[in-house]
Amino acid sequence: MYARVYIDVLSGSVDRPFDYRIPPELTGVVQPGVRVQVPFGPRQITGIVISCTEESDVTKVKPIHQVLDEQPVLTPELLMLGQTLARETLCLQMTAYQAMLPAALRGKVVKTLERNVPLAELPPELAALFQSRRRVSWIDAQKSGTAMGVVREAVDQGLLTIEEVVKDQSAGRTLQGVQLRGSYSAEERLELVGNRAVKQKELLDVLETSERPMLVKTLAEDYGISNAAVNGLIDKGLAEKVDVEKRRDPYGARDFETSTPLALTKEQTHVLTSIKKVQAAGHDTLLLQGVTGSGKTEVYLQAIEDVLNQGSEAIVLVPEISLTPQMVERFKSRFGEAVAVLHSALSAGEKYDEWRRIHRGEVSVVVGARSAVFAPFTKLGLIIIDEEHEGSYKQEDQPRYHARDIAIQRGEYHNCPVLLGSATPSIESYARARKGVYTLLQLTERVNQKAMPEVKMVDMREELKEGNRSPLSTVMLEELEKRLERGEQSVLFLNRRGFSTFIMCRSCGFTSQCPHCEISLTYHKRHHQLKCHYCGFEETAPAACPECGSEHIRFFGTGTQKVEQELNRLLPEARIIRMDVDTTSRKGAHEALLQQFGEQKADILLGTQMIAKGLDFPNITLAGVLAADALLKIPDFRAAERTFQLLTQVSGRAGRDERAGEVVIQSYDTEHYSLLHAQNYDFERFVQTEMQERKRAQYPPYTYMVLITVSHQDLTRVIKTANEVAHKIEQHKQPSTALLGPVPSPIARIKDRYRYQCMIKYKDEPDMALLLQQAVAPYMKEMSKDDLYIAVDRHPQMFM
Ligand code: ADP
Ligand code: ZN
Ligand code: ZN
């Protein structure tokens, strides 16, 4: 028997399967989807088996050295999906598989076999392996020549368990546990303890009913069993101490109150019924458009409950930034231990723990960010993508996939529905729903029947005319003051990208640029530093102009720090929490700040993008946007769409309970249709206008796009390559396909690498993946060797 293996070397030159012989002792364990160690040149390299065959065309086939998994880590479905992914996104096969697996599986997991039964109950081969030992490492078992098929069967029968430890920073966090020792019967144990040792008998009782070692700490806290009793039992040879890996589930540690399904409104009932109908019939993609507060999440919960009742599983995708403890709690309180959470803030070990619970079938619901779409479920009954319009569902490096596309492919495979939800669906999804490609469901009313907060628009040009140079308009200040008087809270939103602070010399116009990137440096007041947001370059802000020596240096723009300063000056009594990349870079800082605000330890929450989502605090009655048009100015065809979405989302933060909320939007351009329709919560009209714009300029959903970016330190090399790639595409494309460029990218240099781009807009190409593949294939070898890089981004979300 032979195995076809993709090896873990990320290079275009080895991006194909290699044949290896399966040695007899590994038969039955080596199967598609397991990881193996194989000889490759002088080295041993990890690889993934994609198929097993009876024959091989290769003359000198080397044997597989070791098998690393007792069960496949990739299911047949995921193996197949990975192939499509590699082809469609033009990435290496191994890159595609790695995207589906937790990072810890790249060689840092130590596995140990542990025996659960007396030696006599093990098959002779295993008894010989274990002898008097209780544990044997997975590697030693293979070195001893033991048939791994026998090992796996014993695991399946529960004679052995496999313990896995991830060797990362979080390893070594073990706790002390106690477990029974020896192969005594229950009566024999009782006899050995003796009648007088009451506590030790209690301990015996606990240990006998527990499947896993008990923590010494838990015994003391929950059972009132002291260390003395534990030691007593150990002295009698009936128990032993063991190290127990601390379960690193950051949410599991807390207790969640259980919640029960709410009685649904008429609209909610209708939506749920439609979802169930599709579920009974098979696969379809549903788009649920529901205004903020219309109870989408409750519908998700009840749809999932239905799926679980049928013995199936569900995946819920939530944008990274909305995956707050509040969000997690809603799922955990309904489904308890059945929920795993995959969050990028988890350590490698924590992620691996959660992934393993899914892999072993211990959970049936996964709530997670983008990559959770690859959760190794085998009985999927529903995939939900909340806030489906979010750009973060698109991965910006390889494999450049969109979670929505993967979800739909998985939905087709499992013949189950995919439910996309949003208050402001992406224009692309909405157009598909309107055309009948997706099924459109709507929730038009808020559960509490309350009107959406009133939105006031402030023209900042007028403010300037009246001599107000502050980033805060008079109206905004008045509203903030009212909230302070009433003890209510406000959120102030500032777009990070559009307005950050930079310095400029008033005498000669000099601005401080990053020496490595084509971009202005951002001024950070706290350390009086200039920083590049692209490459991390930092320098001390100059006191005089480096060009002309003038001391008239001004700080321009309205960064969050500057607004905070302004607030402190104008509203000295207000307590402010600032949330931006600087204050939230530490792990857990984001949540800690939100919690403080939730506990009303501040009056104003000032922040970037990250505060627009998921904030659900009843005491917020004012939401303010400081520069609404900053977003509109970003050179991206989705600028109007993103602005509309953001303003709607921000407005949703105010007035979540009884008191009416208000929204103040400041802008220099007050006539733009995305602002006007957002002001009236008129999604339908916004879509109409936006669709006309898209049609006129031939942007999605009227076309598909591809962005090709070439980068290298040598500018001539970049231009030459970009031209060659463009030429190749030009030769083979359909006449209706438009090729734009090559031109310098909007940010023409990052980290000393020059960047050129080509854009493709197409409607009908028989095989775009192949066309692109052919255009970039000649450079694949160069790419790994001398730093030339060609990024091919299909259906791009970012154009920088
Ligand atoms: P959305 O996700 O659409 O913004 P949520 O699901 O968060 O809306 O619901 C908003 C609020 O209304 C939540 O506090 C939720 O618990 C509550 N809610 C949802 N459905 C119902 C219902 N049928 N009856 C009572 N309260 C509900
Ligand atoms: Zn100057
Ligand atoms: Zn830089």
Side-chain angles (χ1 to χ4, degrees), residues 675-688:
L675 303 189
L676 292 178
H677 296 319
Q679 185 178 16
N680 300 320
Y681 300 97
D682 199 340
F683 180 69
E684 207 61 48
R685 297 257 319 268
F686 168 71
V687 173
Q688 272 175 25

Side-chain angles (χ1 to χ4, degrees), residues 513-521 531-538 749-752:
Q513 298 278 320
C514 174
H516 309 285
C517 312
E518 209 88 326
I519 197 132
S520 307
L521 294 171
K531 273 192 204 168
C532 171
H533 279 184
Y534 281 87
C535 72
F537 172 85
E538 265 183 62
R749 194 167 52 120
I750 295 181
K751 297 186 194 174
D752 289 321

